[in-house]
Amino acid sequence: MTSFQFRTTLLLILCSSCVYLDILPVEAESILIRPYYVYENLIKGVHDYFNNTCIILFHGSSKLREEQGLQEMDELLTLQTQFSKYFHIRTVIMDFHMFKNRVEKTYHHIKRPLFVLLNDFEKIKEQFVSVSKWITMAYPTWLLFLRDETRFEEFLSDVYIPFDCVFMVAQRDSQGTEIIQDVYRIGKEDYLRSMTFGMWNASHGFQGPFLGLYQRRHDLHGHNIRVAAINDPPISRIFRDETGQPFGISGFFGEVIQLLQKAMNCTFSYKEADTWGVQLLNGTWTGSIRMLIEDEADLVATEMMMSSDRLEVLKFTTPIYTSKCRVYIRRPDTTAVKWNAYLAPFAWNIWNVIALTIVIVTLTIAGIDAFSRRVEWLPSINGRPYSSNDLFDILFHVFGVFCGQGMDPSLLDPTRMVHLSVHLTAVVVIAAYSAALISYLAIKTFVMPFTTMEGLLEDGTYRFAVTANSADYSFFQNTTDNVLRIMFEELLTKETDLPVNYFDGLERVCREKNYAFMTLDNMASLLQEKVDCTLEPLDVIMQTTIAMAMPFQSPYRGIIDTNILLLRDSGILQRLLKIEWSNEIRRTKKGWSSVELEDAAPLLLFLLAAYAITSLLLLMERLIYRNRKQRSKTN
C-alpha cells in the first residue's frame, strides 16, 4: 500500500467516523483508560523501538460518536493528530468491525504496522478474538492496554498468540510505572507465557530490551516438533525401533537436527516421507511437501531445493549450503588414441634443433673426411687403409646415435671429438625424451561423447533421469529453456521407473549402459566412493540453494533460522559440511596404471607402415635386378 493509498483510506475512515458528530453524547464508560500523555509517549516509544511504518488505534466501539463524549472524542482525535501531524506517523482510528469490512485480507499490504488496543473492554475483546482467528498474528506488532484489575490470562484466554508474535501488554504498577509484558504461547495447546519487555514512566521515558526476539525467546521448554525425513543414505538415514517406527535420523541433516534440538531445548518426533514432493496437474502436492501443507509435519529435515513453485506453498529456512547441479555419466571405458603421443614430449622447436644438429654433425664429419683425403694423411686400421663413408651413410649413423645406437670407430681425432660430443648430446636428449614420453603416456585422456545438454540430446543413445518426485523433476517440467524442455518431453517422460534417491540414480549410471543422471556436485563427490564406476560430469546446469522446509505460517521458523545462523557464524556448520560433504573425496587408485593398446597404436601403425614400405622397396629392387639380369643375358 503506497503512502497516497494509505492516506486516502485513513481519510475515508475518518470521514465515516465523523457522521455522528451532531448526535448528543450519552453517559458511557471512558474509552481511554490512561491519561492522554501516557498513550502518546508509550505508543511513540514502542513505535520508535520497532520502527513501525504506521499506527492503527482500535477503540472497540462501532458507534463511537453515539457512546462517547465530545471531550473524550477530542482527546482521541488529538492523539491521532499528534502522531500524524507532529510525529509524521501515519495513524488511523477504527474498530475491528471496520478493520474487517474495509481492510481484511489486504492488511498485509501495510508494512510493519503497530496495532494498539486502547482498552480491555468486553466489546473490544469479542472483536479481537474474532479477528485473531483469521489474521496472521505475527504480521503486525501488538500493544494492549489493561486496567489494573484485569489479568492478561483472562483477556487472552481464547486467543492463540504464536511463538513468533510480538504481543505486548501494558499495565500499571503501584508507583504508576507502565510495566510492559511480552506474551506468547509456544504451541496452540500451551498456556500463556510472559516475560518483562520494558517499562515506561514520566521521568525516564520508554525503556525497551537490549536483546533481540529470539535471544529472549530461546527456549521451547521441551515442546515437540514433528519432523518429516526421507531415507536418503548416506546423508539422511532413518533409525527405526523394533516396531519399524522412525525415532531419529543420521547423516549431515541428522547432525544439524541434534544441534538444533540442544540449542532450542525441544523434542523431535519423526515421520517418514516417501518422496520430496512435486505438484500434480490438479494442483495438489505429494511427499513431504504434502505433509507440511496438511499439517502432518512442522519441519522437513532433508535437502530441499528452493524453487519458485515450492515458495508459493511453504517457507524455507536459512540456506544450509549452495551447490551446483549437473548431469553425470559413466567414464568411457576406452582412452583416446594419441596420434601425437611420440612427438608431444618435445616442442616443435626442440625437434627442429635436433634435426639441425644431425645435419650439422653429418656435414662436419663429411668435411673432416674430405679434408683428410686432400692432405693425404689417411691412417690405417690393422694394416688396411682408412676408407671414409659417403654422406648418406654418415647421416644414417648420426641419426642412429640419437636413437641410442653406436657408430663405427674413427682413427681421426677430430672425428672422434665430434663422435664424443654427439653421443653426450644424444644421451641427454634420449633421457629427457624417455621421461617426458612415460609421463605423457601415463596421463589418461578420456574422450567424452559430449559435455553439454545439447550434446546429450544430439547423441541420441543416452537415457536421462532425475530423482522421482523431486525439485529436479519440477525444474525440467516448468523450464522455459528450449533444450531442457525438449529433453523433458523426449527423454525424461519416457522413464517410467525413476530413481528414488541420488544413490539409486548414480548406481544406475554405473550399472546400465548409456545412462545419464542429474544430481548435485557434493552428492556425486560423496557417493563416488560407494558406486562401482568413475563418474564424469557435464557442464553446470544451474546453481541451487539447499535448505530445510517448514509450513507457510510456522511460528518456529524464526528461532530455527536464528540457530542455523549461529551454527554458521561459529563455524560448526562449515565443519559439518567439510566432514560430510567434502569435495576433496576421490577414488583411491591401487597398483600401477597400465598402458593400454590405444597408447601404443601410433607406434604400431608406424611399424606396420615401415614394414609395408620396406617390403615394397624390396620387391622393386628384386624386379629391377631381374630386369637387368635378363638384359645382360640378351646382350
Side-chain angles (χ1 to χ4, degrees), residues 490-590:
E490 296 185 1
L491 298 178
L492 193 55
T493 55
K494 296 180 180 179
E495 295 293 326
T496 58
D497 182 24
L498 292 174
V500 296
N501 51 42
Y502 292 126
F503 181 63
D504 183 22
L506 294 178
E507 272 193 327
R508 297 190 187 189
V509 171
C510 296
R511 186 174 63 248
E512 301 182 17
K513 182 180 180 181
N514 293 354
Y515 195 89
F517 178 72
M518 189 176 81
T519 184
L520 304 176
D521 278 356
N522 48 6
M523 288 296 301
S525 178
L526 178 65
L527 296 173
Q528 173 66 87
E529 292 293 317
K530 301 182 180 299
V531 295
D532 299 329
C533 68
T534 303
L535 303 172
E536 289 294 334
L538 304 186
D539 293 345
V540 176
I541 299 177
M542 61 178 176
Q543 184 91 8
T544 184
T545 302
I546 303 299
M548 294 184 289
M550 308 187 72
F552 202 81
Q553 296 182 356
S554 173
Y556 311 111
R557 178 169 174 256
I559 188 173
I560 291 178
D561 286 347
T562 300
N563 282 278
I564 291 177
L565 289 174
L566 290 175
L567 292 176
R568 186 183 67 184
D569 295 340
S570 62
I572 297 177
L573 191 60
Q574 285 74 11
R575 179 176 61 83
L576 291 177
L577 288 170
K578 185 177 181 180
I579 294 174
E580 300 287 342
W581 301 84
S582 176
N583 287 326
E584 298 178 358
I585 297 178
R586 295 291 183 267
R587 178 179 293 273
T588 303
K589 294 183 178 181
K590 298 181 180 180

Side-chain angles (χ1 to χ4, degrees), residues 161-167 182-184 195 212-220 559:
I161 302 177
F163 182 77
D164 58 342
C165 177
V166 180
F167 196 101
D182 193 5
V183 181
Y184 63 95
M195 62 179 64
L213 177 63
Y214 296 108
Q215 289 177 305
R216 306 192 305 272
R217 302 182 190 177
H218 58 82
D219 194 344
L220 292 179
I559 188 173

Side-chain angles (χ1 to χ4, degrees), residues 331-336 443-449 536 589 596:
R331 174 178 290 183
D333 295 331
T334 58
T335 58
I443 299 175
K444 302 295 182 180
T445 303
F446 295 90
V447 178
M448 294 289 290
E536 289 294 334
K589 294 183 178 181
E596 299 180 2

Side-chain angles (χ1 to χ4, degrees), residues 49 54 78 128 286 334 478 505 508 518-519 553:
Y49 181 86
C54 63
T78 302
F128 175 57
T286 63
T334 58
N478 302 321
R508 297 190 187 189
M518 189 176 81
T519 184
Q553 296 182 356

Side-chain angles (χ1 to χ4, degrees), residues 45-46 49-50 166 168 180 182 195-199 206-213 215-216:
V46 172
Y49 181 86
F50 289 101
V166 180
M168 295 164 290
I180 306 173
D182 193 5
M195 62 179 64
T196 301
F197 179 83
M199 62 181 62
F206 175 79
Q207 298 177 4
F210 294 101
L211 300 178
L213 177 63
Q215 289 177 305
R216 306 192 305 272

Side-chain angles (χ1 to χ4, degrees), residues 123-135:
K123 289 184 179 180
I124 198 171
K125 176 182 178 181
E126 294 175 358
Q127 296 174 12
F128 175 57
V129 171
S130 176
V131 170
S132 67
K133 298 183 183 303
W134 58 266
I135 193 174

Side-chain angles (χ1 to χ4, degrees), residues 91-109:
T91 308
V92 66
I93 304 171
M94 65 173 65
D95 63 279
F96 281 110
H97 283 303
M98 185 182 300
F99 177 77
K100 182 176 181 180
N101 295 333
R102 301 196 177 187
V103 182
E104 199 172 5
K105 295 182 180 180
T106 61
Y107 71 89
H108 59 273
H109 293 161

Side-chain angles (χ1 to χ4, degrees), residues 401-418:
V401 171
F402 283 89
C403 294
Q405 302 299 316
M407 295 181 66
D408 292 336
S410 175
L411 297 179
L412 300 176
D413 291 336
T415 303
R416 289 179 178 179
M417 293 299 299
V418 174

